[in-house]
Amino acid sequence: MKLLVTGGAGFIGSNFIHYMLGTHPDVQIVNMDALTYAGNLENLAAVSGDARYTFVKGDIAEAAEVDEIFAAHSFDAVLNFAAESHVDRSLHHGAAAFIRANVLGTQLLLDAARERGVPRFVQISTDEVYGSLGPEGAFSESTPVAPNNPYAATKAGADFLALAAHRSHGLDVVITRCSNNYGPYQFPEKLIPLMIGNALEDKPLPVYGDGLHVRDWLYVEDHCSAIDAVLQRGRTGEVYNIGGMNDVPNLHVVKTLLQSLGKPESLIQFVKDRPGHDRRYAMDATRMRDELGWSPRYTFEEGLKRTVDWYLANGEWLARVRSGVYESYYERMYAGR
Ligand code: NAD
Ligand code: TYD
């Protein structure tokens, strides 16, 4: 089986490549990644010599680069992880890059997959397309899509384009919508690695608003096994919700991290809220369980422990990623907040 993985140098894509090479001896993977600020080939150093793995630097929003890669390989499936992925950047640093990568990039991949007759296209989407929940209930696949920030809106746009390619042209498309991931190689602009990095340096931990916003956390390896199940057995034209069944307020996550790092709660600093901040996400993953037999392997406590241990053991990775450009990003995002 030969797979095109886009965005494979990012957080989830790199974990997926490790997972697939580790569990499928006969798989071949071509990783197409533009290496934006979030793409890091260090995440794939351990597999760079594996004959089953090839890296191609390329931009999914450049038609010529997409055509070139589809002309050079005959893929059995495309898995589109490539995206601009950080909500705060989409709110404060301009949404145009999100429209380009997430919407235009997805359409160019869909077109190429159709022209070349690729048998399966898996679009990696997010629970954020559903918008925000009240105090009760969970998102199901039939919940109306109602995104509240530019990142979520572009991911919703990509989902609609993927479904349109299926309905209009018969392309075999499957969409996964997952809740918040955490684990190794996550870029430290996202909640969990940002808080670990700050706590280790005894810097304030910036919690938005009252800290009672709820996210449903899933350990990244469980997301990878879910995508594998959808790739192999998902029904064409369907959406699959993936979740951890661990909906907890941000403050709980931050306090748990401080405890496991032996740092004081006095490091917590409440800062100005994110505009349009979704109050609560929770996923109903019944379809994944009943149809595909998938369930998460790790509890939140186990996953968080593995994550903290990984960041402690990979201090150099974290220090390198947090230096340079990240420092000026952090300054711009949090100054005066
Ligand atoms: P990430 O920001 O860590 O990685 C994104 C990767 O895509 C980077 O390697 C980057 O270089 C690459 N990329 C960006 N634009 C590109 C382009 N135009 N062409 C080629 N490569 C490009 O993101 P992530 O957290 O790993 O998320 C991966 C996917 O999973 C995204 O589609 C995201 O929407 C989705 N998702 C993420 C989460 C989460 O909690 N992180 C949850 C659900 C779904
Ligand atoms: P994030 O990791 O950015 O993921 P998403 O916005 O996709 O859910 O944020 C997770 C939650 O943590 C979200 O409710 C915003 C909050 N948050 C903070 O309170 N402080 C921070 O510095 C960051 C980055 C996020």
Side-chain angles (χ1 to χ4, degrees), residues 224-240:
C224 295
S225 68
I227 293 169
D228 187 19
V230 170
L231 169 68
Q232 312 287 345
R233 304 189 299 282
R235 272 185 297 134
T236 184
E238 283 297 338
V239 172
Y240 289 86

Side-chain angles (χ1 to χ4, degrees), residues 280-336:
R280 189 170 80 89
Y281 301 150
M283 280 306 236
D284 176 352
T286 309
R287 178 175 287 173
M288 280 300 299
R289 193 191 56 213
D290 291 357
E291 247 184 55
L292 303 185
W294 172 88
S295 57
R297 175 170 166 196
Y298 300 98
T299 64
F300 188 51
E301 290 65 34
E302 287 163 352
L304 216 52
K305 182 173 183 326
R306 292 175 83 89
T307 303
V308 168
D309 288 349
W310 187 87
Y311 281 94
L312 288 174
N314 290 275
E316 281 181 20
W317 182 94
L318 188 59
R320 267 199 293 279
V321 173
R322 276 169 67 90
S323 67
V325 183
Y326 176 83
E327 265 174 69
S328 58
Y329 158 81
Y330 194 86
E331 194 43 48
R332 271 189 298 152
M333 187 63 80
Y334 291 91

Side-chain angles (χ1 to χ4, degrees), residues 86 128 180 189-191 206-208 215 250 274 277 334:
H86 191 36
E128 306 208 14
N180 286 64
E189 64 189 353
K190 306 282 169 37
L191 180 77
V207 171
Y208 297 166
R215 296 292 181 268
N250 294 336
R274 173 187 279 175
H277 194 174
Y334 291 91

Side-chain angles (χ1 to χ4, degrees), residues 192-206 254 257-259 261-264 267 318 322 330:
I192 288 179
L194 185 143
M195 296 299 173
I196 294 174
N198 282 19
L200 288 174
E201 291 181 17
D202 296 308
K203 282 191 178 157
L205 272 49
V254 172
L257 286 172
L258 285 170
Q259 211 172 19
L261 292 165
K263 298 286 182 177
L267 284 177
L318 188 59
R322 276 169 67 90
Y330 194 86

